[in-house]
Amino acid sequence: MKSGLIALSLAAILLAACDRKADAPAAPTPAGPAAAATERAASVRWNPAAGGFEMGGVALRTAKLWTFDGSTDGFTGVGSQLAPTAGQGLAVTVADPTVRSPSGLAIPGGQYPLVIVRLTRVGAGEAWDGALYYSTATHGEGINWLGKPVDNESPKLNETVTLVYDMRRQAQGGPDWTQSVIDQIRLDIEDKPGGRFVIHQVAIAENPTPPPAAPAE
């Protein structure tokens, strides 16, 4: 009889312990992945359904469009690490600012004056640049021939921006682009090492808007 009571007591203790375990609060959910990138508004936007850039809802005609689908698409860096990302994009870890397109583009600059670069900053950097250099049959890259985007504010961490270069009004050397056949372009992302980016798309396109007015003298 005594042994039976002991067995019943042990069973009651075990049941109580199981009840307490079931009622215990659940463990915290592990932190999820980094917040999704936000996208800054721009005059040109990427339409993923159409697979192209558009301005004012109208698709832009491109001479070249690179989308980095599992490939670097022939883009190269000088010291920087370039590699295709999962899905679509070119991952860039900046050691030197230079990121070059393939050469031999043979693009008539007068017909295609718009250069578009859509990218996301995924690592903090110290010295945003955003300059666009280019070479032709008559000259190589140089400080005398470059463009700057209309909006050249440094992207914030996890911010996607669409850099729009209207080379009809290039920062240095105008109107050289529009009078030349473009052989190669070069994007200088940042002037100091350490920043990390994903370049999603790069295009050289027609610009359907009128040329910018000349500055008043």
Side-chain angles (χ1 to χ4, degrees), residues 8-53:
L8 288 172
S9 298
L10 289 173
I13 291 170
L14 288 172
L15 286 172
C18 289
D19 288 342
R20 284 195 300 271
K21 185 175 181 180
D23 293 340
T29 302
T38 58
E39 186 139 3
R40 187 189 302 173
S43 59
V44 175
R45 65 178 292 272
W46 175 254
N47 184 332
F53 285 106

Side-chain angles (χ1 to χ4, degrees), residues 159-178:
E159 182 182 32
T160 299
V161 299
T162 300
L163 307 176
V164 180
Y165 302 79
D166 189 343
M167 299 300 285
R168 298 174 299 184
R169 291 292 301 277
Q170 59 193 83
Q172 295 287 341
D176 182 74
W177 177 285
T178 59

Side-chain angles (χ1 to χ4, degrees), residues 67-70 85-89:
T67 56
F68 311 106
D69 295 304
T85 63
Q88 186 181 82

Side-chain angles (χ1 to χ4, degrees), residues 15-111:
L15 286 172
C18 289
D19 288 342
R20 284 195 300 271
K21 185 175 181 180
D23 293 340
T29 302
T38 58
E39 186 139 3
R40 187 189 302 173
S43 59
V44 175
R45 65 178 292 272
W46 175 254
N47 184 332
F53 285 106
E54 59 186 32
M55 177 185 291
V58 178
L60 292 176
R61 182 180 176 186
T62 58
K64 291 291 181 182
L65 174 61
W66 296 278
T67 56
F68 311 106
D69 295 304
S71 167
T72 63
D73 281 354
F75 276 65
T76 58
V78 179
S80 296
Q81 297 177 14
L82 274 63
T85 63
Q88 186 181 82
L90 179 69
V92 180
T93 300
V94 178
D96 179 278
T98 301
V99 176
R100 286 189 179 92
S101 76
S103 60
L105 300 179
I107 294 173
Q111 183 179 355

Side-chain angles (χ1 to χ4, degrees), residues 7 11 38 69 72 83 92 95 119 121-122 160 181 191 198 211 215:
T38 58
D69 295 304
T72 63
V92 180
L119 56 78
R121 180 189 287 281
V122 295
T160 299
V181 175
D191 279 337
V198 173

